[in-house]
Structures are given as C-alpha cells and as structure tokens.
Amino acid sequence: MASGSRNTKQGKFQKDLEYHEKLKLVDAELMSFHQYCEQMGFTDAEMEVICSPLFEAMQKNTLKKVLRTIFVIIVIGLALYAVIQIGTVAVHLTAIGRIFMIKALPFWDWRSLFYESCLMTNPFYSDYTLTEDDCVSCEALEYVDRVDKVAYDSLLNNYLSRDVPLIVTDAMETWPVMNTNDFYFDNITQLYLQDEKLVDTVPCILTTNLRTGSSDLLAFLKRIHSSSVDKWFVHWQNCDIHAVKALRKFYQRPYFLSSSVSPAHFNWVLMSSDYNTNNYKKVELDSGLIMLAQLRGSTVFKLTPHNLCNASCPELSSDLSEGEILVFTNYLWNFEYRPGHHLDSVAILTETVWDEVSQ
C-alpha cells in the first residue's frame, strides 16, 4: 500500500513537472515570436491583427471557465437550498444561527434592528414629530365615540385627521367569522399548526403569562391546545409576510375604509381564557392607522396621550364588545388593554401605513 501511494505521488509530481515545462516552452516561443516581429518592424496595430486569433482563443477559454464556475456555484446553491427545506435541517440551522447572533452581541448589538420594519433609511422620508400644538386636538375629549353607518369622509374629517379615536359598532356584521358559531382558539391554532409556511414562523413580539420554556409561537400554541391549561393570556405580532397574509382569513377590510388605504402591513392576535386582571398590557405599535377588531368576548382598553400631551389631554378608556372595532391613529396615543371579564376573548389588531396628506 505504501509503495502504491508513493508511486501515485511520483506520477502526479511528474505530470505537474511536465505541465510547467510545457508552459515554459510556450512562453519562450511567444517571447521569441514577439522579438522577431519587433525586428521586422511591425507596428502595434499590425501585431494586434496578427495575434487576434490567439487573443480570441484565450478569451473564449476564459469565458468558458467563468461560465463553468457560475454553473457550479448555482448547483451548489440549489443543493443547499434543497437541504435547508428539510424540517430537521432547517431547525438545526435556525438554532445555530441564533447561537451565532447571541455570540455576536458583544461585538455588534443588532437587537435594535430586530424591531425595525426597514433596515435602510429612506432619505426622502421623515417621521412626524409630535409638538405641543398637536395636543389641542385631544384636550377637549371626554370619551370614545361609538358610531355606526359611518362614511369614509366623515371618518376622515371628524376623527382620523384629528387623531380622535372611535368605535365602529356595525363594521363586522358581514364577516364570515362572526357568523360561525364554533369559532374558537382552535381555529387560529390550527391555522398555524397545519400550514407548513407558518409552523416555523417567529413573531416579532410575543407576550404571555405562560412559561413554555421557549419564545417560539409553536411551543405556546401546543401548550394552549391542551384542555388542561386555563387562566392565560397572549398577544403576538405577525411581521412575517406569510403569517400576515394567513391571518387575513379571519378579518376583512371594513366598509368604512377607502380602497386607497393600503392593507395592513403587520397584524396582532390578542387572546385570553378566563384571565381576570386589572393590570393593563402595553402593546408597542408602529405609527399609523390602528384597528382592533373584537371577534369573541370583550377587551378593556386604555388610550394614554404621549408624554408631550399627557398634561393637557385626558386618558381615554372604554370596553370593546364582540363585533366592534376600535379605530385610531397612534401618533398621539399609547395603547394598552386587558381582557374583559368573559371566559374567552379573541381580537385581531392591524397596523396600516397612514399618510394624512395622501388620504
């Protein structure tokens, strides 16, 4: 075996030596040819014409190598993508990725980027800055209006353009989910557990009183799927596009919104079961149009003015009953809630980009 291995190495060395000798011979021939042409008085233009077949052959050979390299990279990339689609491999790679990100924290604090909707700043966009002059729009408010049969123009002029919240009582009457008597937590849990694209979805924010040993949504849903678990609450934000689209199965565009208003870019699920508390849960929302639709049970909410206006504007609180929608723009308001005193509560909150000027 040792003798065979030695012979193989010697053969390879001999081939490499022959290859280098051939390169030296070709190089010597080219140099000799170039000197001959110079002695004969050929110009640079004439030399380009004479050597053009050689240049073309070299370019074709280089192009073939580049195309071959690109092909190999594409094949390797497709193979890696196919392997990543395997469930167990994806889970392990996700775990390794999370470990790597945690280890990177001492060198690069990426946590602020996790909650950003955009990784790059748009130089033509500027956030609206609240001023004390804006506080006049809320200083005379005493309660949240309840309206029905509201037209979009009335909604815009009397409420949204003034940052005044309201409750619409008849916007969900035609939604299929409201006419389904057996709608329950299982409808939402099954949506996530049965969809391959949603099984591994990770919500941007998840808050609950249950300790599942994991921050993954899947672990929580499996926990509440058990009938032995009671007295719990949860709210989570879907920012994965597949999860956002999938949850739209349970709500529709309200009749009072214009078709020019874009669909919600993020949505939330708020659920609870026999969870009676007087402590409010704060929900960190992006700036925009916020709508909270009560599918089952009830929710008690509180709208608190931002710090700049909390001295001149009152705190607004009310309860949201089944079939009602709370609508407000949160440039002025902080939103908090607690489950109502019902056995079960299910609500969906949507966040929509809202530009008053364009509306």
Side-chain angles (χ1 to χ4, degrees), residues 135-270:
C135 300
V136 296
S137 63
C138 63
E139 61 185 7
L141 295 179
E142 298 178 359
Y143 51 85
V144 180
D145 285 347
R146 274 183 157 81
V147 301
D148 60 3
K149 299 181 177 63
V150 59
Y152 178 68
D153 289 342
S154 175
L155 179 82
L156 182 64
N157 296 327
N158 296 321
Y159 296 96
L160 299 183
S161 64
R162 300 181 179 183
D163 292 318
V164 176
L166 77 155
I167 295 173
V168 182
T169 61
D170 62 345
M172 301 167 59
E173 294 176 353
T174 59
W175 291 12
V177 68
M178 301 307 297
N179 299 313
T180 303
N181 294 328
D182 60 349
F183 177 81
Y184 194 58
F185 302 126
D186 282 346
N187 297 76
I188 292 180
T189 57
Q190 291 300 324
L191 173 70
Y192 284 83
L193 297 177
Q194 294 178 358
D195 191 321
E196 293 181 357
K197 293 181 179 179
L198 299 183
V199 168
D200 296 324
T201 188
V202 178
C204 285
I205 301 173
L206 187 148
T207 304
T208 179
N209 65 309
L210 297 182
R211 296 180 179 178
T212 60
S214 170
S215 60
D216 290 342
L217 178 60
L218 183 62
F220 173 83
L221 294 177
K222 288 182 177 179
R223 180 86 180 270
I224 66 170
H225 194 61
S226 170
S227 59
S228 62
V229 179
D230 57 5
K231 298 184 181 301
W232 55 264
F233 87 93
V234 66
H235 63 253
W236 75 81
Q237 181 195 40
N238 290 316
C239 48
D240 178 83
I241 186 62
H242 297 298
V244 172
K245 289 183 176 180
L247 193 64
R248 290 174 186 166
K249 174 183 179 181
F250 297 115
Y251 66 91
Q252 298 176 350
R253 176 189 290 270
Y255 72 83
F256 53 76
L257 278 190
S258 168
S259 58
S260 63
V261 179
S262 62
H265 59 282
F266 292 148
N267 50 35
W268 297 67
V269 176
L270 286 65

Side-chain angles (χ1 to χ4, degrees), residues 328-348:
F328 66 100
T329 55
N330 67 332
Y331 302 115
L332 194 63
W333 305 99
N334 291 310
F335 172 76
E336 298 177 62
Y337 83 98
R338 61 179 175 83
H341 294 293
H342 285 76
L343 184 59
D344 300 316
S345 176
V346 182
I348 292 178

Side-chain angles (χ1 to χ4, degrees), residues 1 24 47 62 73 99 178 224 262 285 308 323 344 356:
M1 290 294 292
K24 289 181 180 180
M47 289 287 292
T62 303
I73 292 174
I99 293 173
M178 301 307 297
I224 66 170
S262 62
L285 301 170
L308 197 61
D344 300 316
E356 291 184 57

